[in-house]
Amino acid sequence: DNGYYCWLEYGKLEDVELKNIYRKWCANIVKFGDTPLIKCAVKELIIGIENMLGISPEIVSIPIEPSFITVGTLGQNPIIDKAVGENERKDIMEDGFLIKNIKTEDKDYIVVTGINDKGVLYGVFVLLRLLRMQKDIRDIRKIENPYFQMRMLNHWDNMDGSIERGYAGNSIFYKDNKFTDDTARVRDYARLLGSIGINGIVINNVNVHKYETRLITKEYLPDAKKLAEIFREYGIRIYFSINFASPIEIGGLDTADPLDEKVKKWWCDKAGEIYSYIPDFGGFLVKADSEFRPGPFTYNRNHADGANMLAAALKPFGGVVIWRCFVYNCMQDWRDYKTDRAKAAYDNFKPLDGMFDDNVILQIKNGPMDFQVREPVSPLFGGLKKTNVNLEVQITQEYTGQQKHLCYLIPMWKEVLDFDTYARGKGTTVKKIVRGSVFNNKYGGVAGVANVGDDDNWTGLQLAQSNLYGYGRLVWNPDLTSEEIAEEWVRLTFSNDKEVVDTVSDMLLKSWHIYESYTSPLGIGWMVNPHHHYGPNVDGYEYDKWGTYHRADYKAIGVDRTVKSGTGYTGQYHKEVRDMYENIDTCPQELLLFFHRIPYTYKLKSGETLIQYIYNTHFDGVEQAIKLKEQWQSIKGKVKNEIYEHVLHRLEGQIEHAKEWRDVINTYFYRKTGIGDELGRKIYD
Ligand code: BDP
């Protein structure tokens, strides 16, 4: 009763009439094919049907009853093949599926099929989802294909069991520098991910330390192989983050120079060894020359030299190198105004566009800084035209309340995916670029930094499960709306009760904005305590080498990033976007302080002065947080008590913490400016 099963809870259906309709089909499953994924699909059907309908389906290999569900890939059995029209067949792509109701004179059945067995598994999960949401599936004819090829999770898990930026307990993979024995939990996790279409998972932190460096040795590969087998059952490949200095640290070489023949050979042999354990191994994720991690710079080589060398080693096996663009100088001088951290990723990688091999993917964080509550989209999207790219977002709520505050992130990611870069004229959105369809890339997709740990409910705050679910749904289909995803999640997790659906959806949909309003204003970011990044500290990163500043003085705040008079960052965008940001009148208000330096008395479009806007949003944010709690209280008795109490407790904590944010921020600006709140509300001085 604590939320362990997440959206696969499969509670008993409420609607008796529908239940009877469903039962007719669900009592018989006709299974074609015997691959592990087909077997898994049938196993999942049984679990779902037993739980939701209270019947145990018969599994057969030829239809006996007039009504049934049949599962199998196309081209294997006439019953399935006949059910699929020629045009339908053309519409089903790799990993996609068709769910179709066929009625003949004497039969009425549901077909779930795809061109590969993974598609069938995805189709089954969708069918179960439809049943749980009590959708009418009579006459259903549904074809879906995944939008992105790579739908990945990045775990920042360390082998000692800790998780970098983890807010839900310890790793579910490792403990005491060993793989855990709790494979049941790993399997349950694989189910959750498979059910939303995730197909790749990096199983260790991008910061690769001593033990994780050894993941690619025979000390750990046998255990990694077992993990890979569990994930494979749900269509998910595993990847490792690797240490660029591995040839030295575990290979006994005296260099890790990517152009050195010994080093190249070492990585080629290493790749061969890994694939001998894990034949479908996905590849390497690499954080190099960033935040003190080793990389090619040591040898006067560039990122392309480093990435291509690894890519050559993986290529014979079909693997890829995912090379991160999170590269900047974390030792910079705050006195130097023009060195702007926001410019770093573009400055580092744009000149290398076209130099990467075709199995290298550059992974770019959504914004130019680092997962702040509000950032513009990284100009590398649309800037790079001859390179495969992945978008990296952070599901784990590092800067967005650490799973103590409610912050539903789907609306944020949608803004990123729908952002128009104008790289090839109007309509060149990030999602199209990342998909690979604008520049014809071989690979591309999205990676989300995972938000799970070994807490009973996986995500710390139970409602934060919606971010994992929503992430999967969005990378499957970025055209789903935030509302649709919220509604699905609530129905699958809690119930179809309208009040519950409306209330919880509303809470989720407002939450990002609420969090934003009581934390750092108008895109400025970073007003957090250094290192752990929780709680307000306005000057925490000011005068600091990490390069994240707000530059507040008694008259103005914000960073002028224009070409005209500032750091020149806006010059990294295509003309239409640059012009929009460059001009204070067309710059979207929520990013005003990111792009411009503005006096506190400046009048915003709403008519409020900047200082008054800061006060208003911070008072209002707390009020809104209080409303979240009241909304939750209004559905008491309609969600399981244990979850109810747990969420209530977190929401209460959120309110207290929102007050702290409000008071620190408001007081800071009151002291800086000496301008009071027009409405005379309490500001500490
Ligand atoms: C930052 C995190 C840090 C990560 C880094 C990264 O604070 O823990 O190592 O990103 O993405 O957001 O490499």
Side-chain angles (χ1 to χ4, degrees), residues 156 164-165 206-207 287 291 324 326 365 370-371 398-399 533:
W156 287 358
E164 183 150 339
R165 313 309 177 186
V206 286
N207 296 314
K287 173 174 179 176
E291 298 182 335
R324 298 178 81 228
F326 185 62
K365 289 192 182 186
D370 189 7
F371 300 138
E398 177 177 1
Y399 292 95
H533 300 160

Side-chain angles (χ1 to χ4, degrees), residues 184-202:
R185 179 132 200 187
V186 175
R187 177 164 283 106
D188 286 339
Y189 185 52
R191 285 184 71 211
L192 287 170
L193 300 190
S195 75
I196 48 174
I198 300 295
N199 66 357
I201 180 170
V202 181

